[in-house]
Amino acid sequence: MSLFAFSDAECSNLATAHGTPCFAYRRSVAEASFSALRAVLPPRVRLAYAVKANPHADLLACFAALDASFDCASLGELKRIAALNLGPGRVFFAGPGKREEELKLALELGVRIQAEGFEDLERLDAMATSDVAVNLRVHPLGVEEGSRILGGSGPSAFGVDEEAVPDLLARAGSLMHVKIRGLHAFAASNQRDAGTLLAIHARIFDLAKRLHHDHGVLLEQIDLGGGLGVPYAEDETPLDLTTFGTGLAALLDRHPWFTGEVILEPGRFLAAPCGVYLARVVRVKESRGERFAILEGGVNHLLRPALTGQPFPVRAVGKAGPLHRTTLAGPLCTSLDRLGEVDLPDLAPGDLLAFGHTGAYGFTEAMTAFLSHPVPPEVWVED
Ligand SMILES: Cc1ncc(COP(=O)(O)O)c(C=O)c1O
């Protein structure tokens, strides 16, 4: 599987046609990611694309046409999805700090809300005029995935701590309209090991079983969140979809008490592969023995490497030759503006670099306002 949605010739053509820096997303690759995952999942598993990974309108429409559901986490995302006029029951709304107007719109649109604490339940109950089914987001104990993004199972801004759930359920019993009818628990990020994902999911199903058996919660849905990983380097193995799908089916078989729906909310897995980011080299320099290439764009367009230390895969378009360790820096006046230390051929001003798997957490997470450089265009490519 290539880490780049476009060939060298296509990258050159895109750069000429649209200028650089730019992002490009390829429809056929987004469709292939969605279909490959869909194909291995049991029918009872619903795919809800996490809009935060990339809210580009064409990408959303592409997934909607494949019958995707959507996971939103802000007013803006809810509005983008509302514009697609989907049928009922295809939208979820999560987020640790939901504002009044967000909850109001979510109620109006009939989206399924992932309540992150008693405050969400209480505020919804006060707004609702008829019964509302919600999912309770629980921050599980004993799930050590080691993610910097979600923070493992230590203290967390997300959800209700598992040990606090009995108390919350007792208080929720007095609410008039709001009914807890699902569990949302999510403890993985960029996880490419099917066994690790399945172990986390098994742990969440055990938690669901306790909620059902010990506390009598009627569960229509178990939402396992996102976290399905993609490779960011040639030597990283992709998630084994067959093992994942088979394992999920076996998990469902081990829990015959649960006859509802399972929701998966992948963002990265569905969107990352379809995107490339193209930027040219502005300067090359040596500093105290280190080779630098300074590019037209940096963390103002691709912030993730600075946040996670994980560079995006990168290729020098149309260039070959011996590889040299090169630090890729952006044009911003901060030493945080680094896209990684990578092995590339000799670079010169004007050379085009293509960054792969940037369809997720690329443009959407960029700091485009910082230093007021031009905002890169996002190009949607239909095959
Ligand atoms: C509630 C929720 N669902 C889904 C996702 C998507 O995660 P990923 O892109 O790792 O699949 C996130 C990411 O932060 C999230 O917060």
Side-chain angles (χ1 to χ4, degrees):
M1 185 182 108
S2 168
L3 303 181
F4 298 88
F6 298 93
S7 68
D8 272 10
E10 289 167 331
C11 288
S12 292
N13 291 341
L14 283 163
T16 308
H18 302 282
T20 54
C22 74
F23 283 87
Y25 311 126
R26 184 170 214 146
R27 181 188 191 109
S28 58
V29 175
E31 285 175 341
S33 303
F34 189 95
S35 305
L37 180 56
R38 181 64 272 170
V40 300
L41 296 176
R44 258 208 288 161
V45 179
R46 187 137 59 107
L47 273 184
Y49 170 61
V51 176
K52 61 178 74 64
N54 186 339
H56 191 276
D58 290 310
L59 186 62
L60 299 181
C62 164
F63 289 143
L66 295 170
D67 208 27
S69 296
F70 292 90
D71 157 57
C72 298
S74 73
L75 192 69
E77 289 185 358
L78 282 173
K79 286 182 176 170
R80 280 176 193 241
I81 295 302
L84 294 173
N85 286 317
L86 304 174
R90 282 174 68 182
V91 188
F92 298 85
F93 181 47
K98 300 185 193 73
R99 289 175 298 120
E100 203 86 359
E101 57 179 326
E102 293 175 315
L103 287 174
K104 200 161 159 273
L105 180 65
L107 271 182
E108 270 167 36
L109 296 173
V111 315
R112 183 77 161 219
I113 295 168
Q114 322 278 14
E116 305 244 1
F118 191 71
E119 300 79 359
D120 276 357
L121 298 175
E122 219 175 14
R123 286 189 299 155
L124 276 172
D125 203 55
M127 287 179 197
T129 50
S130 57
D131 281 2
V132 187
V134 302
N135 297 343
L136 182 66
R137 182 167 184 179
V138 176
H139 175 48
L141 275 168
V143 178
E144 275 308 339
E145 186 256 352
S147 152
R148 272 186 66 191
I149 309 299
L150 289 160
S153 61
S156 173
F158 305 110
V160 185
D161 290 342
E162 181 177 336
E163 57 279 27
V165 169
D167 180 50
L168 178 140
L169 291 176
R171 294 172 73 196
S174 63
L175 298 173
M176 177 116 73
H177 298 300
V178 170
K179 314 283 172 213
I180 296 171
R181 290 286 180 265
L183 168 68
H184 180 286
F186 171 25
S189 181
N190 193 27
Q191 184 51 255
R192 289 176 293 107
D193 182 61
T196 305
L197 274 175
L198 290 166
I200 293 172
H201 294 168
R203 175 76 190 67
I204 293 168
F205 261 76
D206 289 342
L207 167 61
K209 191 175 175 182
R210 285 199 302 281
L211 288 185
H212 176 71
H213 284 294
D214 302 348
H215 299 280
V217 182
L218 297 172
L219 292 175
E220 297 165 350
Q221 299 187 339
I222 299 177
D223 189 327
L224 301 168
L228 282 66
V230 298
Y232 284 108
E234 297 290 347
D235 60 355
E236 290 182 354
T237 43
L239 175 65
D240 182 335
L241 286 184
T242 310
T243 307
F244 180 60
T246 317
L248 216 46
L251 180 61
L252 282 171
D253 288 345
R254 292 202 299 277
H255 288 270
W257 63 271
F258 178 68
T259 52
E261 218 182 357
V262 174
I263 318 294
L264 283 179
E265 299 172 347
R268 184 191 313 270
F269 183 88
L270 296 180
C274 77
V276 293
Y277 169 70
L278 299 172
R280 292 193 189 277
V281 176
V282 180
R283 288 175 64 209
V284 288
K285 69 171 274 191
E286 293 262 337
S287 171
R288 302 199 170 130
E290 198 172 319
R291 190 181 278 239
F292 282 81
I294 299 164
L295 312 182
E296 295 170 313
V299 295
N300 53 338
H301 300 164
L302 289 179
L303 179 60
R304 193 133 276 239
L307 293 179
T308 62
Q310 165 82 70
F312 286 101
V314 60
R315 200 172 73 196
V317 173
K319 281 216 134 172
L323 302 179
H324 307 280
R325 201 72 185 153
T326 309
T327 299
L328 299 179
L332 310 184
C333 306
T334 162
S335 52
L336 287 177
D337 194 13
R338 299 281 175 92
L339 297 181
E341 280 175 39
V342 295
D343 294 320
L344 286 171
D346 249 333
L347 294 174
D351 282 348
L352 182 63
L353 298 190
F355 293 80
H357 277 191
T358 46
Y361 306 116
F363 182 78
T364 179
E365 216 179 47
M367 300 202 301
T368 50
F370 193 37
L371 268 93
S372 306
H373 283 278
V375 174
E378 293 179 282
V379 183
W380 179 250
V381 180
E382 302 267 349
D383 291 293

